[in-house]
Amino acid sequence: MSVQKRALIVLGCPEVPIQMALALFAGYYLEKGGYEVTTAGNPSVMKLIKTLDPGGHYLRRLITLEKCIEGITDRNDQYDLCICFVHNDAGISYAATMRYLLAEIRFVTLVFGRNAEELSGSIEFDGVKIVEPAVHNPIPMRRKLQEVMGWGVSKNLPTTS
Protein backbone atom coordinates (compact mmCIF):
# COMPACT_ATOMS: atom_id res chain seq x y z
CA MET A 1 0.00 0.00 0.00
CA SER A 2 1.42 3.38 -0.98
CA VAL A 3 1.46 6.33 1.40
CA GLN A 4 -0.68 9.22 0.21
CA LYS A 5 1.01 12.57 -0.30
CA ARG A 6 -0.06 15.22 2.20
CA ALA A 7 -0.56 18.93 1.57
CA LEU A 8 -1.08 21.75 4.04
CA ILE A 9 -2.93 24.94 3.11
CA VAL A 10 -2.33 27.76 5.60
CA LEU A 11 -4.83 30.61 5.53
CA GLY A 12 -4.58 34.02 7.13
CA CYS A 13 -7.34 36.39 8.17
CA PRO A 14 -10.22 36.07 5.68
CA GLU A 15 -10.65 39.80 5.02
CA VAL A 16 -9.40 39.67 1.39
CA PRO A 17 -12.10 38.01 -0.77
CA ILE A 18 -9.87 36.08 -3.17
CA GLN A 19 -8.29 33.99 -0.41
CA MET A 20 -11.29 31.69 0.04
CA ALA A 21 -11.89 31.20 -3.68
CA LEU A 22 -8.24 30.27 -4.22
CA ALA A 23 -8.15 28.02 -1.15
CA LEU A 24 -11.15 26.03 -2.43
CA PHE A 25 -9.58 25.93 -5.89
CA ALA A 26 -6.24 24.70 -4.53
CA GLY A 27 -7.92 22.12 -2.31
CA TYR A 28 -9.84 20.73 -5.26
CA TYR A 29 -6.78 20.39 -7.49
CA LEU A 30 -4.54 19.05 -4.74
CA GLU A 31 -7.03 16.32 -3.91
CA LYS A 32 -7.49 15.58 -7.59
CA GLY A 33 -3.69 15.24 -7.77
CA GLY A 34 -3.65 12.60 -5.05
CA TYR A 35 -2.96 14.70 -1.95
CA GLU A 36 -4.65 14.41 1.40
CA VAL A 37 -5.28 18.09 2.14
CA THR A 38 -5.28 19.70 5.58
CA THR A 39 -6.31 23.34 5.89
CA ALA A 40 -5.12 25.41 8.85
CA GLY A 41 -6.33 28.84 9.87
CA ASN A 42 -7.78 30.93 12.65
CA PRO A 43 -11.32 30.26 13.95
CA SER A 44 -12.84 32.89 11.62
CA VAL A 45 -11.39 31.17 8.57
CA MET A 46 -12.63 27.78 9.78
CA LYS A 47 -16.18 29.15 10.20
CA LEU A 48 -16.06 30.70 6.75
CA ILE A 49 -14.89 27.44 5.15
CA LYS A 50 -17.65 25.50 6.90
CA THR A 51 -20.17 28.01 5.54
CA LEU A 52 -18.77 27.98 1.99
CA ASP A 53 -18.20 24.24 1.81
CA PRO A 54 -20.60 22.67 4.34
CA GLY A 55 -20.24 19.21 2.82
CA GLY A 56 -16.44 19.29 2.95
CA HIS A 57 -16.16 18.66 -0.78
CA TYR A 58 -13.06 20.81 -1.32
CA LEU A 59 -11.48 21.26 2.10
CA ARG A 60 -12.19 18.18 4.19
CA ARG A 61 -9.65 18.32 7.01
CA LEU A 62 -9.75 21.58 8.98
CA ILE A 63 -7.50 22.47 11.91
CA THR A 64 -6.62 25.62 13.79
CA LEU A 65 -3.15 27.05 13.29
CA GLU A 66 -2.28 26.29 16.91
CA LYS A 67 -3.30 22.62 16.58
CA CYS A 68 -1.44 22.39 13.28
CA ILE A 69 1.79 23.69 14.80
CA GLU A 70 1.30 21.39 17.79
CA GLY A 71 0.84 18.44 15.44
CA ILE A 72 4.05 19.23 13.58
CA THR A 73 6.15 19.86 16.68
CA ASP A 74 4.70 17.31 19.13
CA ARG A 75 3.40 14.49 16.94
CA ASN A 76 5.78 14.91 14.01
CA ASP A 77 2.92 15.40 11.52
CA GLN A 78 4.46 15.27 8.04
CA TYR A 79 3.56 17.11 4.83
CA ASP A 80 4.95 16.97 1.31
CA LEU A 81 3.73 20.42 0.26
CA CYS A 82 2.67 23.62 2.00
CA ILE A 83 0.80 26.51 0.40
CA CYS A 84 0.58 29.65 2.56
CA PHE A 85 -1.76 32.54 1.82
CA VAL A 86 -0.36 35.94 2.85
CA HIS A 87 -1.91 39.40 2.68
CA ASN A 88 -0.55 41.09 5.81
CA ASP A 89 2.31 40.97 8.35
CA ALA A 90 0.58 38.27 10.40
CA GLY A 91 0.42 36.10 7.28
CA ILE A 92 4.16 36.56 6.78
CA SER A 93 4.70 35.37 10.37
CA TYR A 94 2.50 32.29 9.84
CA ALA A 95 4.30 31.47 6.60
CA ALA A 96 7.75 31.97 8.14
CA THR A 97 6.80 29.71 11.06
CA MET A 98 5.55 26.99 8.74
CA ARG A 99 8.63 27.29 6.56
CA TYR A 100 10.85 26.89 9.61
CA LEU A 101 8.90 23.85 10.83
CA LEU A 102 8.60 22.29 7.37
CA ALA A 103 12.05 23.15 6.05
CA GLU A 104 12.52 20.21 3.70
CA ILE A 105 9.27 20.25 1.69
CA ARG A 106 7.96 22.06 -1.38
CA PHE A 107 6.74 25.44 -0.14
CA VAL A 108 4.58 27.96 -2.01
CA THR A 109 3.66 31.39 -0.66
CA LEU A 110 0.80 33.31 -2.29
CA VAL A 111 1.12 37.01 -1.56
CA PHE A 112 -1.95 39.04 -2.52
CA GLY A 113 -3.90 42.16 -1.67
CA ARG A 114 -3.35 45.84 -2.32
CA ASN A 115 0.13 45.83 -0.73
CA ALA A 116 1.30 42.52 -2.22
CA GLU A 117 4.46 43.85 -3.86
CA GLU A 118 5.62 45.69 -0.75
CA LEU A 119 4.70 42.78 1.51
CA SER A 120 6.53 40.25 -0.66
CA GLY A 121 9.75 42.18 -0.10
CA SER A 122 9.73 41.17 3.56
CA ILE A 123 9.73 37.43 2.82
CA GLU A 124 13.17 36.12 3.71
CA PHE A 125 12.56 32.36 3.55
CA ASP A 126 13.00 29.92 0.67
CA GLY A 127 10.28 28.59 -1.56
CA VAL A 128 8.20 29.63 -4.52
CA LYS A 129 6.66 33.07 -4.12
CA ILE A 130 3.63 34.09 -6.20
CA VAL A 131 2.77 37.78 -5.95
CA GLU A 132 -0.38 39.46 -7.29
CA PRO A 133 -1.96 42.71 -6.04
CA ALA A 134 -5.42 41.15 -6.35
CA VAL A 135 -8.23 41.70 -3.86
CA HIS A 136 -11.49 40.76 -5.62
CA ASN A 137 -10.48 39.07 -8.87
CA PRO A 138 -8.82 35.66 -8.28
CA ILE A 139 -8.12 34.91 -11.97
CA PRO A 140 -4.58 36.39 -12.29
CA MET A 141 -3.43 34.66 -9.08
CA ARG A 142 -5.22 31.45 -10.08
CA ARG A 143 -3.36 31.40 -13.40
CA LYS A 144 0.00 31.86 -11.65
CA LEU A 145 -0.83 29.12 -9.15
CA GLN A 146 -1.88 26.78 -11.96
CA GLU A 147 1.42 27.41 -13.73
CA VAL A 148 3.54 26.84 -10.62
CA MET A 149 1.63 23.71 -9.62
CA GLY A 150 1.48 22.29 -13.14
CA TRP A 151 -2.30 22.12 -13.14
CA GLY A 152 -2.64 23.63 -16.62
CA VAL A 153 -5.56 25.71 -17.74
CA SER A 154 -8.89 23.92 -17.82
CA LYS A 155 -11.36 24.70 -20.59
CA ASN A 156 -14.20 24.90 -18.11
CA LEU A 157 -12.60 27.59 -15.94
CA PRO A 158 -13.26 31.26 -16.71
CA THR A 159 -10.33 32.90 -18.49
CA THR A 160 -11.25 36.57 -18.38
CA SER A 161 -9.41 38.79 -15.95
Side-chain angles (χ1 to χ4, degrees), residues 60-86:
R60 299 177 198 279
R61 295 178 37 104
L62 305 178
I63 189 169
T64 64
L65 286 165
E66 292 78 15
K67 291 287 184 187
C68 180
I69 292 169
E70 181 182 300
I72 294 167
T73 58
D74 295 349
R75 292 186 305 275
N76 199 30
D77 288 352
Q78 301 284 317
Y79 297 95
D80 302 289
L81 167 69
C82 182
I83 299 176
C84 287
F85 286 73
V86 172

Side-chain angles (χ1 to χ4, degrees), residues 16 30 66 103 141 155:
V16 179
L30 287 168
E66 292 78 15
M141 178 68 82
K155 292 179 183 171

Side-chain angles (χ1 to χ4, degrees), residues 27-40:
Y28 170 79
Y29 275 96
L30 287 168
E31 188 170 290
K32 188 176 171 182
Y35 284 90
E36 174 187 272
V37 179
T38 299
T39 305

Side-chain angles (χ1 to χ4, degrees), residues 68-146:
C68 180
I69 292 169
E70 181 182 300
I72 294 167
T73 58
D74 295 349
R75 292 186 305 275
N76 199 30
D77 288 352
Q78 301 284 317
Y79 297 95
D80 302 289
L81 167 69
C82 182
I83 299 176
C84 287
F85 286 73
V86 172
H87 72 88
N88 59 23
D89 289 335
I92 295 276
S93 295
Y94 293 145
T97 298
M98 291 302 174
R99 187 55 175 157
Y100 174 77
L101 295 173
L102 303 168
E104 301 300 320
I105 69 170
R106 185 170 184 205
F107 200 88
V108 178
T109 306
L110 302 177
V111 186
F112 56 96
R114 287 181 177 84
N115 301 320
E117 293 292 338
E118 178 184 332
L119 196 57
S120 72
S122 62
I123 293 177
E124 298 178 355
F125 48 85
D126 293 336
V128 174
K129 182 170 47 171
I130 302 172
V131 181
E132 182 64 43
V135 174
H136 295 100
N137 181 2
I139 304 304
M141 178 68 82
R142 187 202 74 203
R143 286 183 182 148
K144 290 177 180 180
L145 180 61
Q146 284 177 280

